[in-house]
Amino acid sequence: MLQDIEPYLACPHCAQPLTLDGRTLRCPAGHSHDVARQGYVSLLAGDAHTGTGDTAEMVAARSDFLAAGHYRPIADALAEAAAAAHPEGLVADLGAGTGHYLAHVLDALPGRPGAALDISKYALRRAARAHPRIGAVVCDAWRPLPLLDASAGLVLNVFAPRNGPELRRVLRPGGTLLLVAPTSRHLRELVAGLGLLSVDEEKQRRIDEKLGPYLTPAGQREVEFTLRLSAEDVRTVVGMGPSAWHTDPVRLAERLAALPEPVEVTASVTVAAYRR
């Protein structure tokens, strides 16, 4: 709920604290932001837009796939790492999507409030209902985040954009970033069979280098398991990832029809911790 995360929110125009007044967030400078009837609030700057966010179709695909439990080992590993971090204060999820992973983590952290941050209002409509302690906020990961300095004890970043300077700013001293990224083996059978975007083998090293000036690596583990997917599941997992923007629908349908059913697919990610 937004009242749970209100003490941690900052105005996107002047960075001053926000106060919830009925269904409107207000700052001392007079800026106001109305809460949508679906439960989320937009804290985008005036010249920003949501054109880069996931579409309603992509969000629906992701929600269906995650609800089926296909990525449950990833959610479990994330919750385990979150509990081990013993965070104080806010848990923020940058690129939260539907709030699936944040809700799982909050179940492992009783009493902690959670902020689901994403640029897709379609995703945040679902995130606002994903857990009683989630407040959903529309924002742009590449701009100043609408959180006060040193407000978060834990930040999640799962298959999402990473803004090093802002991650450092919003984390408390000693706070933890938990970052989930695919390895080069992730969905490799579909990459080859369907012509999807592949993952660079140096991805984790490049992430470490980009975050290095701002945060200190604090350990990582790989989570790898086998999925057994129907044709509809495969269509869904394609629709929830970046390949949805880069794959020709007609050619994809032809290649999908040629796949065996069910198809065994490798899921492979790194869960890495960084500290301020």
Side-chain angles (χ1 to χ4, degrees), residues 71-96:
Y71 280 179
R72 180 62 184 258
I74 299 174
D76 287 344
L78 197 59
E80 181 182 334
H86 303 293
E88 296 293 331
L90 181 70
V91 179
D93 189 348
L94 182 57

Short mmCIF file of all heavy atoms in Angstrom, two decimals, residues 71-96:
data_model
loop_
_atom_site.label_atom_id
_atom_site.label_comp_id
_atom_site.label_asym_id
_atom_site.label_seq_id
_atom_site.Cartn_x
_atom_site.Cartn_y
_atom_site.Cartn_z
N TYR A 71 9.45 -20.20 -12.84
CA TYR A 71 10.67 -19.57 -12.33
C TYR A 71 10.72 -19.57 -10.80
O TYR A 71 11.45 -18.79 -10.19
CB TYR A 71 10.78 -18.13 -12.84
CG TYR A 71 11.31 -18.01 -14.26
CD1 TYR A 71 11.43 -16.76 -14.86
CD2 TYR A 71 11.71 -19.12 -14.99
CE1 TYR A 71 11.93 -16.62 -16.15
CE2 TYR A 71 12.20 -19.00 -16.28
CZ TYR A 71 12.30 -17.75 -16.86
OH TYR A 71 12.79 -17.63 -18.14
N ARG A 72 10.00 -20.47 -10.16
CA ARG A 72 9.97 -20.51 -8.70
C ARG A 72 11.36 -20.68 -8.10
O ARG A 72 11.67 -20.04 -7.08
CB ARG A 72 9.04 -21.64 -8.23
CG ARG A 72 8.93 -21.79 -6.71
CD ARG A 72 8.33 -20.55 -6.08
NE ARG A 72 8.30 -20.63 -4.62
CZ ARG A 72 7.22 -20.91 -3.91
NH1 ARG A 72 6.06 -21.15 -4.54
NH2 ARG A 72 7.26 -20.95 -2.60
N PRO A 73 12.27 -21.50 -8.67
CA PRO A 73 13.61 -21.59 -8.08
C PRO A 73 14.34 -20.26 -8.02
O PRO A 73 15.13 -20.01 -7.10
CB PRO A 73 14.33 -22.59 -8.99
CG PRO A 73 13.23 -23.44 -9.55
CD PRO A 73 12.09 -22.48 -9.76
N ILE A 74 14.08 -19.38 -8.99
CA ILE A 74 14.72 -18.06 -8.97
C ILE A 74 14.13 -17.22 -7.84
O ILE A 74 14.86 -16.58 -7.07
CB ILE A 74 14.53 -17.34 -10.32
CG1 ILE A 74 15.19 -18.15 -11.46
CG2 ILE A 74 15.11 -15.92 -10.27
CD1 ILE A 74 14.93 -17.58 -12.84
N ALA A 75 12.83 -17.25 -7.70
CA ALA A 75 12.18 -16.49 -6.63
C ALA A 75 12.62 -17.00 -5.26
O ALA A 75 12.85 -16.21 -4.33
CB ALA A 75 10.66 -16.60 -6.77
N ASP A 76 12.77 -18.32 -5.11
CA ASP A 76 13.21 -18.89 -3.84
C ASP A 76 14.63 -18.46 -3.51
O ASP A 76 14.94 -18.11 -2.36
CB ASP A 76 13.12 -20.41 -3.88
CG ASP A 76 11.69 -20.94 -3.84
OD1 ASP A 76 10.79 -20.16 -3.47
OD2 ASP A 76 11.48 -22.12 -4.16
N ALA A 77 15.52 -18.49 -4.51
CA ALA A 77 16.91 -18.08 -4.28
C ALA A 77 16.99 -16.61 -3.90
O ALA A 77 17.79 -16.21 -3.04
CB ALA A 77 17.74 -18.36 -5.53
N LEU A 78 16.17 -15.80 -4.52
CA LEU A 78 16.15 -14.37 -4.23
C LEU A 78 15.64 -14.12 -2.80
O LEU A 78 16.23 -13.31 -2.06
CB LEU A 78 15.25 -13.67 -5.25
CG LEU A 78 15.36 -12.16 -5.41
CD1 LEU A 78 16.77 -11.75 -5.80
CD2 LEU A 78 14.37 -11.68 -6.46
N ALA A 79 14.59 -14.81 -2.41
CA ALA A 79 14.05 -14.65 -1.06
C ALA A 79 15.05 -15.11 -0.01
O ALA A 79 15.21 -14.47 1.05
CB ALA A 79 12.74 -15.42 -0.93
N GLU A 80 15.76 -16.20 -0.29
CA GLU A 80 16.78 -16.70 0.63
C GLU A 80 17.90 -15.68 0.81
O GLU A 80 18.36 -15.41 1.93
CB GLU A 80 17.34 -18.02 0.11
CG GLU A 80 18.39 -18.65 1.00
CD GLU A 80 18.93 -19.95 0.40
OE1 GLU A 80 18.21 -20.61 -0.37
OE2 GLU A 80 20.09 -20.30 0.73
N ALA A 81 18.35 -15.10 -0.29
CA ALA A 81 19.42 -14.10 -0.22
C ALA A 81 18.94 -12.84 0.49
O ALA A 81 19.69 -12.20 1.23
CB ALA A 81 19.91 -13.76 -1.63
N ALA A 82 17.68 -12.47 0.27
CA ALA A 82 17.12 -11.28 0.92
C ALA A 82 17.05 -11.48 2.43
O ALA A 82 17.41 -10.58 3.20
CB ALA A 82 15.74 -10.98 0.36
N ALA A 83 16.60 -12.64 2.87
CA ALA A 83 16.52 -12.92 4.30
C ALA A 83 17.90 -12.90 4.94
O ALA A 83 18.07 -12.42 6.07
CB ALA A 83 15.83 -14.26 4.53
N ALA A 84 18.91 -13.40 4.22
CA ALA A 84 20.27 -13.43 4.75
C ALA A 84 20.86 -12.02 4.86
O ALA A 84 21.78 -11.80 5.66
CB ALA A 84 21.16 -14.29 3.85
N ALA A 85 20.34 -11.08 4.08
CA ALA A 85 20.87 -9.71 4.10
C ALA A 85 20.39 -8.91 5.30
O ALA A 85 20.96 -7.86 5.62
CB ALA A 85 20.49 -8.98 2.82
N HIS A 86 19.32 -9.36 5.97
CA HIS A 86 18.75 -8.68 7.14
C HIS A 86 18.56 -7.18 6.90
O HIS A 86 19.09 -6.34 7.63
CB HIS A 86 19.65 -8.88 8.37
CG HIS A 86 19.90 -10.31 8.72
ND1 HIS A 86 18.91 -11.16 9.19
CD2 HIS A 86 21.03 -11.07 8.65
CE1 HIS A 86 19.42 -12.35 9.40
NE2 HIS A 86 20.69 -12.33 9.08
N PRO A 87 17.82 -6.82 5.86
CA PRO A 87 17.69 -5.39 5.53
C PRO A 87 16.83 -4.63 6.53
O PRO A 87 15.89 -5.17 7.10
CB PRO A 87 17.03 -5.42 4.15
CG PRO A 87 16.20 -6.67 4.17
CD PRO A 87 17.02 -7.67 4.94
N GLU A 88 17.15 -3.36 6.71
CA GLU A 88 16.32 -2.44 7.49
C GLU A 88 15.64 -1.48 6.53
O GLU A 88 16.20 -1.10 5.51
CB GLU A 88 17.18 -1.66 8.49
CG GLU A 88 17.85 -2.53 9.55
CD GLU A 88 16.83 -3.15 10.50
OE1 GLU A 88 15.77 -2.54 10.73
OE2 GLU A 88 17.12 -4.25 11.03
N GLY A 89 14.43 -1.06 6.86
CA GLY A 89 13.73 -0.08 6.05
C GLY A 89 13.12 -0.66 4.79
O GLY A 89 12.72 -1.82 4.73
N LEU A 90 13.08 0.15 3.76
CA LEU A 90 12.37 -0.16 2.54
C LEU A 90 13.05 -1.25 1.72
O LEU A 90 14.28 -1.31 1.64
CB LEU A 90 12.26 1.11 1.68
CG LEU A 90 11.52 0.99 0.34
CD1 LEU A 90 10.02 0.78 0.57
CD2 LEU A 90 11.77 2.24 -0.50
N VAL A 91 12.23 -2.09 1.08
CA VAL A 91 12.69 -3.01 0.04
C VAL A 91 12.17 -2.48 -1.28
O VAL A 91 10.94 -2.39 -1.48
CB VAL A 91 12.18 -4.45 0.27
CG1 VAL A 91 12.67 -5.36 -0.85
CG2 VAL A 91 12.63 -4.96 1.63
N ALA A 92 13.04 -2.09 -2.18
CA ALA A 92 12.63 -1.53 -3.46
C ALA A 92 13.00 -2.52 -4.57
O ALA A 92 14.03 -3.18 -4.51
CB ALA A 92 13.31 -0.19 -3.72
N ASP A 93 12.13 -2.62 -5.56
CA ASP A 93 12.37 -3.49 -6.71
C ASP A 93 12.37 -2.62 -7.96
O ASP A 93 11.32 -2.12 -8.37
CB ASP A 93 11.29 -4.57 -6.79
CG ASP A 93 11.59 -5.65 -7.84
OD1 ASP A 93 12.52 -5.44 -8.65
OD2 ASP A 93 10.90 -6.68 -7.86
N LEU A 94 13.55 -2.42 -8.53
CA LEU A 94 13.70 -1.58 -9.72
C LEU A 94 13.48 -2.42 -10.98
O LEU A 94 14.26 -3.32 -11.26
CB LEU A 94 15.09 -0.94 -9.74
CG LEU A 94 15.39 0.01 -10.90
CD1 LEU A 94 14.38 1.15 -10.94
CD2 LEU A 94 16.81 0.56 -10.78
N GLY A 95 12.42 -2.11 -11.71
CA GLY A 95 12.01 -2.95 -12.83
C GLY A 95 11.15 -4.10 -12.32
O GLY A 95 11.31 -5.24 -12.75
N ALA A 96 10.25 -3.79 -11.38
CA ALA A 96 9.50 -4.81 -10.64
C ALA A 96 8.50 -5.56 -11.49
O ALA A 96 8.08 -6.67 -11.12
CB ALA A 96 8.78 -4.16 -9.45
#
